[in-house]
Amino acid sequence: MLRLEMFGGLALTGADGTPVVTQRRRLALLALVAVTREHGMSRDKLIAYLWPESPVESARHSLEQLLYGLRRELGESVFLDGNPLRLNVDVVRSDVQALEESIERGALEDAASVYRGPFLDGFFLSGAPEFERWVDAERRRLAERCASVFEKLAVDARARREPQRAVEWWRKRAALDSLSSRGAVGLMRALVEADDRVAALQHARVYELLLQQELESAPEPAVTAFIAELRAAPTADVARANSVSRRAPGDPNGLSPVASPTPPPLASALRAASSEAHGEGGAASRLVAARPRAGWTPSARTTRLAALSAVAVVLVSGVISVPRLSTRADRSAATLDPQRMVVLPFRVTGADSSLAYLREGMVDLLAAEFTGEGGPRAVDPRTTLSAWQRIAPARGNEVSDAEGFQLARAVGAGQLLLGEVVRTTDADVVLNATVLSVPDGKTRARASVTGRVDSLPALIDRLVATLLIQYAGEGQQHVAPLSTISLPTLRAYLDGHSALRHGHYESATEHLTRALALDSTFALA
């Protein structure tokens, strides 16, 4: 049985989780047919989506060639006979189908467990604008279905008097649309009922700032009234929350007073709301940046696991910083930290998309390497990817160099790392990376490494070492031993990080547990 995964990306995998189909247009055709389920999609529609600019006869020939290639790769029975074209669900099952069927039979928790991120997130097909419009429409439709599922689960949890569970579901609902008043109020109410009024106030502040900076508007009157009531509550928690907002002006983790007529930048507000969870010196940053050292024993691992679990609770109840990418967020060269570096997602090009997971995966891997020891320290991947995803979808996840510099200024980074992964043949791959100085655009370091795909961890080691040697004259002692890790282990680790960013904590646990099962010495996992 093959599985077509469309939430959080697009991939066809076998029983062992390895990619099966990697050619992008083949994957796009499978997605188009899979979403229609038993209704199927006509060949004329497939042509309109995939080859809108081609002559009819040429497009029909291209479709037949595509179908021929899929049948050769997956078997003659992958499609059911006839027109419209339908997938044989005995051969290929999709996560969208699993979600729809779970909703139809009322198994809402099963449906919620399927959702791993936006529909076809990060997938782009050049020269197919109709396909992109279809993706946008399906993404909205499925997000709305998931929002209804999360809301119903939250209401059911509240009825069972499980306030923490209700908070989890409302948090997932709010994450689907950060500007939704329904999601914001639902989460704030749930946090209050869970006796976490401080977190409710933090979310209220973040929501107000998001609306102001993204839509230049205030919350709806009903939401404003609720927030005012929340702030007026005379509790010790509120007093403690207010004390955070009245720190000295020079405190980098402080907020401007609530009564200030000019709201502070969003990044500052988010640092105040969750400084311990996401701050540069916070517990999460220190633990993520930690390195395996001599004396790494099972007892030490248990101690660290307990500490990570405590931090995970903070991260789940916190917020993700999303810097405003506009001229208002730009900083002068004098305010940029020359040792702070933002790693942009790598461009993945070449013969196929089997290495597409490295687009964001390289951000996670390099952030773990650039910790400030003898070189720059990387901006937290959550911050980078949240900002990147707000500007990337318009061009299929491609960000111009100018926007990359703007993103770096928004997070106060004085260095910018751009890179690409190029699949040259089935067996070979090239990794390229360049570190640029943000104030003047000058190149600080450049590296290019070539090797076999199955030696990818070792290639990443060499890439980072080369960059560090050029950047600061230091090298391998600052490189985590990825070269000893197998490619399936590395993939499971990166899948876990991706699931964590999208709020899918059970899935993240499964992937990271799998990584450790494959290699119990992989300290990063």
Side-chain angles (χ1 to χ4, degrees):
M1 174 70 72
L2 301 174
R3 181 171 176 81
L4 186 63
E5 299 174 350
M6 294 181 278
F7 287 120
L10 179 56
L12 183 68
T13 59
D16 59 354
T18 58
V20 177
V21 169
T22 53
Q23 204 270 347
R24 298 180 74 81
R25 207 161 293 265
R26 292 182 186 180
L27 287 171
L29 185 146
L30 289 174
L32 285 163
V33 177
V35 168
T36 59
R37 299 173 61 190
E38 68 273 9
H39 301 294
M41 181 170 287
S42 71
R43 292 169 184 256
D44 287 341
K45 278 192 173 181
L46 288 170
I47 288 172
Y49 282 129
L50 298 177
W51 297 278
E53 305 298 332
S54 299
V56 174
E57 288 306 315
S58 174
R60 290 189 186 280
H61 177 72
S62 296
L63 176 59
E64 291 306 319
Q65 287 295 105
L66 205 60
L67 294 174
Y68 174 75
L70 282 166
R71 288 190 173 102
R72 283 196 61 187
E73 193 164 15
L74 307 179
E76 288 293 331
S77 60
V78 63
F79 297 111
L80 300 177
D81 293 334
N83 188 14
L85 199 66
R86 293 175 295 154
L87 271 184
N88 184 345
V89 296
D90 291 331
V91 178
V92 180
R93 294 276 295 179
S94 75
D95 50 3
V96 169
Q97 178 184 1
L99 179 134
E100 301 272 21
E101 290 178 350
S102 296
I103 293 175
E104 288 165 4
R105 69 173 187 268
L108 299 186
E109 291 210 17
D110 289 346
S113 68
V114 172
Y115 186 79
R116 294 166 49 89
F119 177 71
L120 265 58
D121 189 28
F123 184 83
F124 175 72
L125 198 63
S126 61
E130 291 300 323
F131 175 77
E132 293 303 313
R133 280 189 277 272
W134 173 81
V135 170
D136 289 340
E138 285 299 314
R139 185 174 293 157
R140 288 192 298 270
R141 181 183 72 84
L142 292 167
E144 289 171 359
R145 296 216 75 183
C146 289
S148 298
V149 168
F150 293 151
E151 284 188 26
K152 180 63 166 60
L153 289 169
V155 170
D156 290 347
R158 183 175 185 270
R160 295 192 305 268
R161 297 186 179 181
E162 298 176 358
Q164 292 298 337
R165 193 64 173 154
V167 167
E168 292 176 15
W169 292 123
W170 274 116
R171 197 176 295 286
K172 291 177 181 290
R173 166 63 179 90
L176 284 174
D177 182 1
S178 59
L179 301 179
S180 165
S181 60
R182 186 181 183 89
V185 172
L187 176 56
M188 287 186 284
R189 288 189 187 279
L191 287 166
V192 171
E193 292 177 357
D195 294 326
D196 197 350
R197 193 177 295 270
V198 170
L201 285 166
Q202 291 170 351
H203 189 75
R205 183 59 171 157
V206 169
Y207 179 68
E208 289 175 322
L209 290 167
L210 279 171
L211 281 180
Q212 181 183 6
Q213 297 200 13
E214 296 301 319
L215 303 179
E216 296 185 352
S217 67
E220 299 172 3
V223 181
T224 300
F226 176 79
I227 293 176
E229 179 183 345
L230 188 64
R231 286 179 175 143
T235 66
D237 282 346
V238 174
R240 187 166 67 252
N242 287 340
S243 71
V244 174
S245 68
R246 296 191 180 93
R247 292 180 183 178
D251 185 348
N253 289 326
L255 279 170
S256 299
V258 173
S260 171
T262 304
L266 178 58
S268 298
L270 294 177
R271 283 198 299 272
S274 57
S275 58
E276 283 305 308
H278 301 295
E280 291 297 328
S285 297
R286 291 193 297 272
L287 285 170
V288 169
R291 300 274 175 163
R293 290 178 170 81
W296 182 261
T297 63
S299 61
R301 173 176 287 177
T302 302
T303 302
R304 186 164 183 244
L305 180 60
L308 282 168
S309 299
V311 172
V313 173
V314 179
L315 290 174
V316 171
S317 62
V319 292
I320 299 175
S321 57
V322 184
R324 170 69 171 170
L325 293 178
S326 69
T327 54
R328 287 182 293 177
D330 287 348
R331 309 184 188 196
S332 66
T335 65
L336 299 178
D337 185 344
Q339 288 299 99
R340 183 175 168 89
M341 182 172 72
V342 63
V343 181
L344 283 190
F346 275 41
R347 290 190 177 96
V348 180
T349 60
D352 55 51
S353 60
S354 63
L355 298 177
Y357 68 95
L358 288 174
R359 186 190 304 276
E360 295 184 10
M362 291 296 287
V363 180
D364 289 314
L365 292 172
L366 298 187
E369 302 288 359
F370 291 107
T371 62
E373 301 174 26
R377 68 182 184 280
V379 173
D380 181 79
R382 287 171 173 256
T383 300
T384 300
L385 292 171
S386 295
W388 175 75
Q389 288 165 0
R390 299 183 76 83
I391 60 175
R395 286 181 308 285
N397 285 309
E398 294 298 339
V399 175
S400 69
D401 290 353
E403 288 168 327
F405 280 107
Q406 189 177 5
L407 190 155
R409 292 188 181 94
V411 298
Q415 307 295 328
L416 172 66
L417 191 152
L418 303 172
E420 65 176 346
V421 179
V422 182
R423 185 73 175 265
T424 56
T425 68
D426 289 342
D428 296 322
V429 66
V430 178
L431 303 182
N432 298 320
T434 303
V435 178
L436 301 171
S437 172
V438 174
D440 54 21
K442 292 182 179 179
T443 300
R444 289 293 308 273
R446 177 176 287 136
S448 180
V449 296
T450 304
R452 296 183 61 82
V453 173
D454 55 12
S455 64
L456 186 61
L459 290 178
I460 295 172
D461 283 357
R462 285 169 48 200
L463 183 78
V464 174
T466 303
L467 290 173
L468 282 172
I469 289 170
Q470 293 184 34
Y471 188 93
E474 301 188 23
Q476 296 284 359
Q477 68 269 31
H478 296 302
V479 180
L482 291 179
S483 56
T484 62
I485 303 303
S486 69
L487 192 56
T489 305
L490 189 67
R491 176 66 187 269
Y493 167 74
L494 294 176
D495 285 344
H497 267 273
S498 178
L500 182 62
R501 275 195 297 276
H502 288 99
H504 307 304
Y505 305 108
E506 292 181 2
S507 178
T509 301
E510 291 174 4
H511 286 301
L512 293 173
T513 300
R514 181 169 180 267
L516 286 173
L518 291 169
D519 188 341
S520 61
T521 66
F522 189 18
L524 283 177

